[in-house]
Amino acid sequence: MTKPFIQISGLSKRFPGANGGEPLTVFESANFSIEKGEFVCIIGHSGCGKSTIMNILAGLDTPTDGGVIMGGKEISGPSLDRGVVFQNYSLLPWLSALKNVTFGVRARHPDWSRAQVLEHSQKYLEMVGLTGGAEHRKPAQLSGGMRQRVSIARAFAIRPELLLLDEPFGALDALTRGTIQDELTRIWSGSEQTVFMITHDVDEAILLADRILLMTNGPFARVAESVVIDIPRPRERAEIIHQPAYYKIRNHLVEFLARRSKQLSGVRDHGGEPPVTVRPGADDPDEQERRPASRPQLVSVAS
Amino acid sequence: MNGMALSDNSKAFLLSIAMLVAILGIWELATPGVKSAGELTEYEMLTGGGGEQARVPPPSQVIEKAVKELSNPFYDNGPNDKGIGIQLAYSLYRVLSGYFLAALIAIPIGFLIGMSPIAYKALDPFIQVLRPISPLAWMPLALFVIKDSQASAIFVIFICSIWPMLINTAFGVANVRKDWINVAKTHELGQLKTAFLVILPAAAPTILTGMRISIGIAWLVIVAAEMLVGGTGIGYYVWNEWNNLDLTSVIFSILMIGVVGMLLDTVFAYIQRAVQFQE
Ligand SMILES: Nc1ncnc2c1ncn2[C@@H]1O[C@H](COP(=O)(O)OP(=O)(O)OP(=O)(O)O)[C@@H](O)[C@H]1O
Ligand SMILES: [Mg+2]
């Protein structure tokens, strides 16, 4: 078996307690992997440590234990190979929207001419629908959704190997959200890029992901399940709900978030087991056969 | 909206003019320099304000003086008789050279202190002791060490303007939002690029606040410093005219000190607005 593109092994994160109290263990011995070109979403309740995992993947934070290997190399710091859309946009407020994007493009391609940088940046701003003068405004003069789009354009424009997206569509209206989701799928499928995305939106995750990682509640959170989305691509927003697998997957996810995320939480010393693979949407016999290996485990934990 | 603001502004402007006229009017009437108000002569005599030498001049005399001085500000008739423009230029020269020397040192050091909590802690006691020292207290030491009154005045300006710039730069740099530093990190910017492309613009408003405070203090201090070292400059000019008992010139130069101070502040306010950003 070949090694996965990204291997997360024995990852733990503890924050020192407030005024010398008990340290806060966000998660412990997390083990999972991501394949090259895969689109992975991670879902879990607020505060379970999704952003913390992402910061470690981005190289901005260091784990208390364990490590991440990407492309055969240990992640030891931030890199332009990993583009980040931060949960709070993190735009530079003294630069216009356009300059925020050229900031990234120039860092990625120091050898490009001014015109090249500008053209490339404008292309990505157009993609997120920020044109007609809005691109020359400062972040403070843009709406929350517009800021988020600038942040998306900045990350996409550097075309990183791995895109790390922390609730990138949270502040967008349904229409813009749809457009940018489609755009993201288009960019991703036409490239070798791998995407790791945090979301709270179950439908969005089903539409976009190859696989959804489910996290239990914190503290001592863990990645409990890896749900494979057995829905063929290309997926159409309007069509997907008519797929027989859709509601099976959706119900499984909702059920996890509503009940089992809490039931499974707080388990210490779970031995660093990798998440259980679940395929609620699979109905061909081959898949059924493979299922028992994971299913019983799951049931035993749940009941 | 805009129209309302404008009308508020013009109301304030008219009020300012009215207050100026009232003040000048009262001042004019209260000072017996010109015998325009006949009814007041009796009162004048009662208050015994008839002394020839030291009498507060009426504004009309000050204005007359201002017109005369400002129409030929750069004349030079030897050491004790130079135009107001020359005197102000000397003061500005000292203020600006001391000030920019201070900026040249305070801003880079403030940057380093702001970036390194250890350097911050290590230098803090020195700053806390040196900062409250009145800049003029350095004068004797400066005169002794430097042995040149001109350079000593510049040194005093240097030492008084360094602290607000140093402290504000360090504070501004230390408080740059972590998110913005993370943006620099994820874009693999080196230390120098991070400093110039992210930290400097992020801290610029705070740094400029320090620079604006410093220039204000420097302009306050130069008058006193020049009264001590003598020779040239607006501070020396005020003192010299007082010795000549020419109060018209004293009042005129006081006003000029105010006007130049205001212009300096306006320039820095303008730069401050240019680097300001909204989060
Ligand atoms: N710097 C820090 N110091 C101490 N505790 C922290 C720190 N950063 C995060 N935490 C804690 O770690 C936990 C996980 O935080 P994290 O931001 O990863 O949550 P999240 O899953 O992204 O939540 P959300 O969905 O609300 O964004 C929280 O309990 C939070 O309080
Ligand atoms: Mg988060």
Side-chain angles (χ1 to χ4, degrees), chain A residues 78-80 88 90-91 94 104, chain B residues 179-180 182-183 185 187-188 198 201:
Chain A
S79 152
L80 276 164
N88 55 7
S90 291
L91 297 174
W94 55 90
Chain B
D179 296 337
W180 304 334
N182 281 347
V183 169
K185 282 187 186 163
H187 288 88
E188 288 186 35
V198 178

Side-chain angles (χ1 to χ4, degrees), chain A residues 15-16 24 26 44-53 87 166-167 198 200:
Chain A
F15 286 112
L24 171 74
V26 184
H45 285 291
S46 182
C48 69
K50 304 179 297 292
S51 296
T52 308
I53 290 186
Q87 191 164 13
D166 198 343
E167 294 184 44
I198 297 174
H200 280 291

Side-chain angles (χ1 to χ4, degrees), chain B residues 168 201 203-215 264-278:
Chain B
N168 269 269
T206 324
I207 297 176
L208 252 296
T209 306
M211 292 181 79
R212 193 171 166 192
I213 295 170
S214 279
I215 197 76
L264 284 174
D265 189 65
T266 310
V267 169
F268 278 85
Y270 182 81
I271 304 173
Q272 198 177 21
R273 225 169 304 133
V275 300
Q276 198 72 42
F277 57 83
Q278 238 183 312

